[in-house]
Amino acid sequence: RDLFVQDASAGIYVSTERTWKIRQGQYVEVTGITGPGEFAPVVQETGLRILGQGRLPQARKASLEELASGSLDSLWVEVSGTVTSAVFESNFLNLYLEVVSAPIGSATAGNWRGAGERSGRGTFDRTT
């Protein structure tokens, strides 16, 4: 289960084994143990409390170079590019983008639980 939390200063990945009934934009308090993670620091969740409704942070416009560097890991970002294909895998829609004429891996667009189709492929060529 993937959970990312962000405040005005930074974001971090929270490793959790539970399914939390939280929504984007809510204020939460996470308790846990910090660790180095495989790529960046993580929090191994031991508790989570919903504090109330808030707003999503402003998405930061990201360049291809910033995405490739990993410096924006766990942050809410905005990317402009052309969707060249989409693949449903393990309840996620992975979008393949072309940004500044250079292909980048995939960006997970959202969880498709209950969407009926669990796997599939499509092509788009749409700028988004």
Side-chain angles (χ1 to χ4, degrees):
R1 295 179 177 91
D2 293 329
L3 175 63
F4 294 88
V5 294
Q6 180 178 338
D7 64 11
S9 64
I12 194 162
Y13 173 76
V14 178
S15 177
T16 181
E17 296 299 319
R18 304 180 220 194
T19 300
W20 294 98
K21 293 184 179 183
I22 56 176
R23 296 180 185 249
Q24 290 179 344
Q26 287 181 315
Y27 287 113
V28 296
E29 178 181 80
V30 176
T31 55
I33 301 166
T34 59
E38 293 178 26
F39 174 75
V42 301
V43 173
Q44 176 63 51
E45 170 268 323
T46 59
L48 185 141
R49 187 168 62 127
I50 298 170
L51 302 176
Q53 189 57 40
R55 285 193 250 174
L56 285 173
Q58 183 71 29
R60 176 176 173 183
K61 292 187 180 186
S63 69
L64 178 62
E65 292 77 19
E66 288 174 310
L67 293 174
S69 76
S71 65
L72 302 178
D73 182 61
S74 300
L75 295 179
W76 188 250
V77 296
E78 176 182 327
V79 178
S80 294
T82 301
V83 177
T84 58
S85 67
V87 180
F88 289 99
E89 294 176 308
S90 303
N91 295 325
F92 288 93
L93 173 62
N94 293 305
L95 298 178
Y96 291 83
L97 307 175
E98 186 174 293
V99 178
V100 192
S101 300
I104 62 173
S106 67
T108 301
N111 191 317
W112 286 81
R113 276 190 203 119
E117 186 175 353
R118 298 286 185 211
S119 64
R121 184 177 290 272
T123 57
F124 297 93
D125 292 322
R126 301 265 188 221
T127 300
T128 183

